[in-house]
Structures are given as C-alpha cells and as structure tokens.
Amino acid sequence: MPASQPPSLPHAKYLREDSMSEPCRDLLSSLPSEEDWVAASLCLYQGFWFPSRLLSGVLACQNHFQAHASDILLVSNPKSGTTWLKAILFALLNRAKYSTSDSQRRHPLLTQNPHGLVPFLEIQLYHEQENPDLAAFESPRLFATHLPYSSSTIGEGLQVQAGLPLRSEEKGQIPLSKCLDKYCQGVSQYGPYWDHVLGYYKASSEMPEKVLFMMYEEMKEDPCVHVRRLADFLGCPFSEEELRHGAVEGILRMCSFDILSTMEVNKSGKWPTGYQNQWFFRRGEVGDWVNYMSAEMGERIDGVMEEKLHGSGLKL
C-alpha cells in the first residue's frame, strides 16, 4: 500500500470565533454553551460539545468532505494519544519508502510535526477553507479527526478509532474539581466522552472490516502486537523478512516519546492554533493519574463510566 506525505498546507489562521461566517455565527448563537476546562467556549451541536471556535470547520467538513474507499481516518478523543498514533500510522504506511539507512535519515518525522503530516479535517483543512481541494493528497489519503461517529461523514474509508485513557493528567485553568464535575456531566471537548467512544465501538462491532477500535492501555502494554494488528487491518501486513529485520521495533523506536520529543521541530514553534508543539508530547504513562487526582476522584470517574457503558460490552 503506497503512501506519501501530504502536500504543504498554507499557514492557517488562528482559530477565532470572529473569523466565522454569518450563518455559522447565527447557528452558534442559538446553541447551548458551556465553559471548557481551559476557559474556552463549548457549544452543544448534534448532541456533542464542540469548541465554539471550531464550529465552522465542523460544518464545512460535514457539508463538503467526500470520503474515498481507500481513505484512512484516525479518530480519537482530544488529549488521548493522537500525536503518537499519527506518527505510527504515517511511519507504518510509508515504511517501504524509507526502508534504507539513507532514506531513514530523510524521514519526514525527523523534521516535521506529526500533526502536519496527518492533518485534522475539521481543525485544519476545513477550518482554513470551507471546501479545500484535496486532490494533491495521494491515495491512500491519511487524515485525522475528533468528530463523533454520528456527526461524521467519513463512512467510506478505513477508520482507526482510539479508545484511550479516561483519567487524564491534564490540568486546566479552572480547579480540578470543577473539571471533574464537567467531565462527569459529559461536558468536555467532543464529549460526552462515553458517547464518543461508544459510537465508534458499536461501529467496529458492526463493521470490523471498516472500523478498528484500539485501547491505549493495551497498546502501551504490547505495542509490537498492536502495530502488526494495525498493519493487517490497513491491508499492508509486515512480511516475514520485515519481521526478521525488526521493522516493527524500528517504527516504534522512531515514534517513541524519547525520539520525537527531542526533534527540534517538536521542541520549538507553534501550531496554527497557538499551541506550542512541545505541548503535544507527554509520556502518557498508564496510571499516572494518581499523581494528579485523589482516589475518590478516580472512583467517581469509574462509577460514571460503569453506569454509562453498562450493557454495551465495552470494558474500560
């Protein structure tokens, strides 16, 4: 399965509500709103809480994006391992192109941020332009999105859905207890979290050939097994020769926190949203929540998840 890096994208404008079209402004004014964990505005649209400043990109993506059968979509909840999986998917699909020692020294991941190599639909492409020309993307096109399954228009392509950690170590600009209250009420970016995850989990059960559901904890426990699982799902399995020569381990090494976080492009500079590139690189250790939350907080989240996922067959 050949793949290549995407074409260079124009420097996107900062994501501001004042850049919205008048129809989008009118819709936004009619929607319920809440304060986000970091004091940004969220709006309730189609049953999910979207960052208000991204609503125009969400609408444009829904109205104009036409999925191809060969498309590959990485779907995840925000702050849940997206950067790592973007790097892994890009390296996996392009491994034949960068298989020699000489080509490995020119690997795009050494000089470009994973978010530039695997662009978001609603945050980058369709936020910058209402109907961007995607003709320059070679097949298979590799995109990412945070859109919930019920709000998306990406049914044609292969979808890799990451069902990732529930207990985040992120601290917002408001008290952690208030963040927890909002989260347990379902108020979070692209939330309620459980509805976002269940949408794709059910789709993976109904269409396992189209939607692959993955768990972060399982990937962290045995990443080699799950990278091979990804390759099989995408139709580009590792050959016996690749396995003998450590191709899987090589991809994981290149995409590791220790390697990517030391790249100059990931230590400096900003994303078009204003976020610093280095903010996307956290160790993401399973169980690290105990250093930020009390046992009572953890038990509260567990209780909410047990209630919301009851009867679904999904265990987190």
Side-chain angles (χ1 to χ4, degrees):
M1 178 181 290
S4 63
Q5 65 190 87
S8 297
L9 301 174
H11 185 69
K13 59 192 173 185
Y14 283 86
L15 305 178
R16 303 188 311 264
E17 292 181 31
D18 60 11
S19 65
M20 290 181 178
S21 65
E22 195 63 33
C24 188
R25 284 175 178 276
D26 291 341
L27 174 61
L28 181 60
S29 67
S30 70
L31 299 175
S33 62
E34 282 279 354
E35 180 187 16
D36 191 10
W37 301 355
V38 290
S41 174
L42 297 177
C43 61
L44 185 63
Y45 175 64
Q46 297 182 337
F48 288 87
W49 291 99
F50 294 95
S52 299
R53 68 187 187 279
L54 298 181
L55 184 60
S56 60
V58 171
L59 297 175
C61 184
Q62 289 180 324
N63 292 333
H64 298 292
F65 179 64
Q66 297 293 320
H68 296 173
S70 59
D71 284 349
I72 298 169
L73 285 301
L74 169 60
V75 187
S76 64
N77 212 255
K79 308 305 291 181
S80 59
T82 310
T83 308
W84 185 40
L85 281 172
K86 279 189 175 188
I88 288 175
L89 277 172
F90 182 86
L92 179 63
L93 292 169
N94 289 280
R95 67 183 189 272
K97 192 174 182 179
Y98 301 100
S99 59
T100 66
S101 57
D102 180 61
S103 61
Q104 286 176 1
R105 288 192 290 270
R106 295 181 283 104
H107 201 290
L109 280 170
L110 301 179
T111 56
Q112 298 182 58
N113 185 277
H115 293 291
L117 295 170
V118 186
F120 281 107
L121 291 173
E122 77 281 10
I123 300 176
Q124 290 167 275
L125 297 172
Y126 284 89
H127 192 277
E128 178 62 18
Q129 299 180 52
E130 183 177 359
N131 191 12
D133 182 5
L134 304 182
F137 287 82
E138 296 182 12
S139 180
R141 304 186 303 182
L142 178 57
F143 301 121
T145 184
H146 291 319
L147 287 175
Y149 185 76
S150 61
S151 298
S152 69
T153 58
I154 58 180
E156 289 298 317
L158 296 174
Q159 299 167 36
V160 179
Q161 161 64 17
L164 300 169
L166 301 176
R167 300 167 173 176
S168 171
E169 71 272 26
E170 285 296 298
K171 290 185 178 180
Q173 297 174 2
I174 56 178
L176 187 57
S177 59
K178 187 174 181 180
C179 294
L180 181 62
D181 288 342
K182 286 181 174 289
Y183 182 85
C184 291
Q185 294 163 12
V187 181
S188 61
Q189 292 190 18
Y190 296 89
Y193 177 89
W194 43 87
D195 289 339
H196 191 288
V197 171
L198 279 175
Y200 286 99
Y201 176 73
K202 291 177 180 177
S204 71
S205 300
E206 296 167 0
M207 301 178 293
E209 76 287 353
K210 285 285 187 179
V211 183
L212 176 66
F213 190 89
M214 303 187 71
M215 296 290 294
Y216 180 84
E217 292 90 342
E218 294 175 353
M219 277 202 70
K220 290 285 286 186
E221 183 176 352
D222 199 340
C224 289
V225 166
H226 290 282
V227 168
R228 291 184 64 178
R229 181 183 172 211
L230 262 177
D232 291 342
F233 173 73
L234 297 174
C236 56
F238 288 93
S239 66
E240 290 299 324
E241 182 179 3
E242 284 182 306
L243 295 176
R244 285 196 302 271
H245 287 84
V248 176
E249 293 80 1
I251 287 175
L252 286 168
R253 185 165 52 251
M254 170 171 283
C255 299
S256 68
F257 173 85
D258 289 338
I259 295 297
L260 289 183
S261 64
T262 62
M263 297 294 104
E264 186 58 36
V265 67
N266 299 324
K267 292 195 300 181
S268 61
K270 292 183 177 181
W271 212 41
T273 57
Y275 297 139
Q276 296 182 32
N277 285 337
Q278 63 181 357
W279 293 353
F280 294 105
F281 293 90
R282 302 171 299 141
R283 286 196 174 273
E285 297 295 339
V286 175
D288 193 42
W289 66 271
V290 299
N291 295 313
Y292 301 88
M293 301 168 61
S294 66
E296 291 75 17
M297 289 177 170
E299 291 172 0
R300 183 180 175 189
I301 292 177
D302 286 344
V304 170
M305 289 303 142
E306 184 175 349
E307 174 190 347
K308 299 299 183 181
L309 301 180
H310 180 73
S312 69
L314 176 61
K315 301 293 184 181
L316 296 176

